[in-house]
Amino acid sequence: MMPIPAGTVSLRDARTGTTRDVDLQAFQLSRSVLVPRGEDQPAASITWFDAIRFCNQLSEAHGAQKVYTIDGRRVTWTTTADGYRLPTEAEWEYACRAGTTGAQYGDLREIAWTGLDGVTSAQPVERREPNAFGLHDMLGNVWEWCWDYLDPARYGEYRVFRGGSFADPPWSVRASVRRGSAPDAVIEGTGLRVARQGIPQAYGRDAQGWSAVRDRERASIGGFMPVGWTPLHELRDEPASRATSLTGERSSR
């Protein structure tokens, strides 16, 4: 695990055309993506549910409090727990950029495995140059699951993955690119990197750039919608007090 200092990252919402600045507490992030025991290539066909379960298993193995409560397809985050978890999108992008502001934190041929290399599978980790925070393969090699929904107004329960993979062209391997899929989808070239800490109190509306209240508000979109939009009714119809209390936030303001 590598220490990531506190800082601020700007996140753009392409659908609404807005940008918001997120202040992050210091946290920890694994130096590379998950690698199965005895191997050097990353696990590259991990579902989001697999990633969540792995985080809980890792917490138990280290005597830490499990972060996630799993009830069927419903997963809630206890933000006060001290165990291992997926990074939020804000944490991921901030850690990826490591103080840079461009599309990539370096020359892709030096920092990432992408379609430029002509490889047909994920490559051994830590063979390319790290970023300024000492993190390897934040771009390229395998996509990395994050905690956040892709957009609960448009894509239902889809979760986000970031970073690009060995098969992606350079335009798709950028710090700001977002992709997503169903939490039980098996997608080639998708793995995970674990985070820890960063939320010493966890009593505000936000937890490292993520908010249960904001998720609910996005899922509550109404009126005419384009064909194919699938608001996440589970969030939209949930009382606001329950949405906040389940995440470790105060249920009253």
Side-chain angles (χ1 to χ4, degrees), residues 11 66 75 92 99 131 170 181 217:
L11 301 178
K66 291 191 297 184
V75 179
W92 187 95
N131 68 11
S181 192
E217 289 173 349

Side-chain angles (χ1 to χ4, degrees), residues 9-11 89 92-98 100-105 108 138-139 143 162-164 170-178:
V9 62
S10 295
L11 301 178
E89 272 202 275
W92 187 95
E93 186 164 332
Y94 174 73
C96 178
R97 291 187 178 281
T100 64
T101 58
Q104 295 95 13
Y105 54 84
L108 282 181
M138 287 296 293
L139 292 176
W143 293 93
R162 304 287 296 263
W171 63 263
S172 186
V173 186
R174 308 193 315 273
S176 61
V177 168
R178 308 174 76 236

